[in-house]
Amino acid sequence: MKSFALIKGFIFGAVFSFVAALLFMLIGQILAGGVTSFRGESWLYFSVVIPFALTFTVLGGYFHNRKDLSNKKLWLISLICAFLVTLYSGTVGAIFGETIVRGGMETINIDGTLVWGTIYAFILIPFTTPFARLLIGIFYKMIRRQSKNY
């Protein structure tokens, strides 16, 4: 059932968007000198939920029809997904999240967000790709196990 794989991807993406945002926030706070808030900034959660949910929904449909994907192919998918999710969440997602949390765009540095979000997407590839590979590997196994049952 392909629709079940799509729904499973959406739920997986939504849940792990919060996990990823929490980890990113905690690592950032630790590197900055200490954890000041366990929950973190609300805009970060808004910025990642859309790309994560969309990415894993698409991957659910893609993985449903694939029997055996090579490790190389999974790494390539992870690289592409990690870059696109980071690019969106660091640019458009950050602006979207800040707009929701702050109630407007008056205090957002849009040009700076677009430029630095793009730079961060490239710089963080060595960190985001292995994390994406871990999540995509878990999700791929879930989808393969599900499709064997049908």
Side-chain angles (χ1 to χ4, degrees):
M1 295 186 140
K2 189 172 185 172
S3 60
F4 189 63
L6 295 173
I7 292 169
K8 200 175 214 180
F10 180 82
I11 293 169
F12 186 91
V15 168
F16 277 96
S17 70
F18 289 102
V19 172
L22 182 66
L23 285 173
F24 180 77
M25 182 268 314
L26 287 174
I27 291 169
Q29 285 187 6
I30 289 168
L31 292 174
V35 177
T36 58
S37 169
F38 185 71
R39 192 174 65 88
E41 291 286 331
S42 300
W43 68 266
L44 184 59
Y45 297 101
F46 285 114
S47 73
V48 296
V49 71
I50 292 172
F52 264 73
L54 183 62
T55 297
F56 281 100
T57 301
V58 170
L59 288 176
Y62 178 74
F63 290 160
H64 178 73
N65 296 325
R66 303 298 186 270
K67 297 264 186 241
D68 291 315
L69 288 175
S70 67
N71 190 38
K72 182 179 178 180
K73 183 90 165 194
L74 287 172
W75 273 104
L76 180 61
I77 291 169
S78 300
L79 172 71
I80 293 167
C81 289
F83 176 73
L84 292 176
V85 167
T86 307
L87 181 64
Y88 177 88
S89 63
T91 56
V92 176
I95 293 169
F96 176 68
E98 283 284 344
T99 302
I100 290 173
V101 170
R102 308 282 184 246
M105 297 179 69
E106 295 80 26
T107 60
I108 302 171
N109 178 0
I110 294 175
D111 292 338
T113 302
L114 293 174
V115 169
W116 283 103
T118 304
I119 291 170
Y120 288 145
F122 282 104
I123 290 173
L124 292 175
I125 284 175
F127 304 103
T128 57
T129 301
F131 182 67
R133 176 61 180 91
L134 173 69
L135 291 180
I136 289 172
I138 292 168
F139 183 64
Y140 179 65
K141 287 179 183 175
M142 285 174 52
I143 294 296
R144 296 304 322 140
R145 190 174 32 224
Q146 170 220 332
S147 63
K148 286 181 185 177
N149 295 335
Y150 291 105

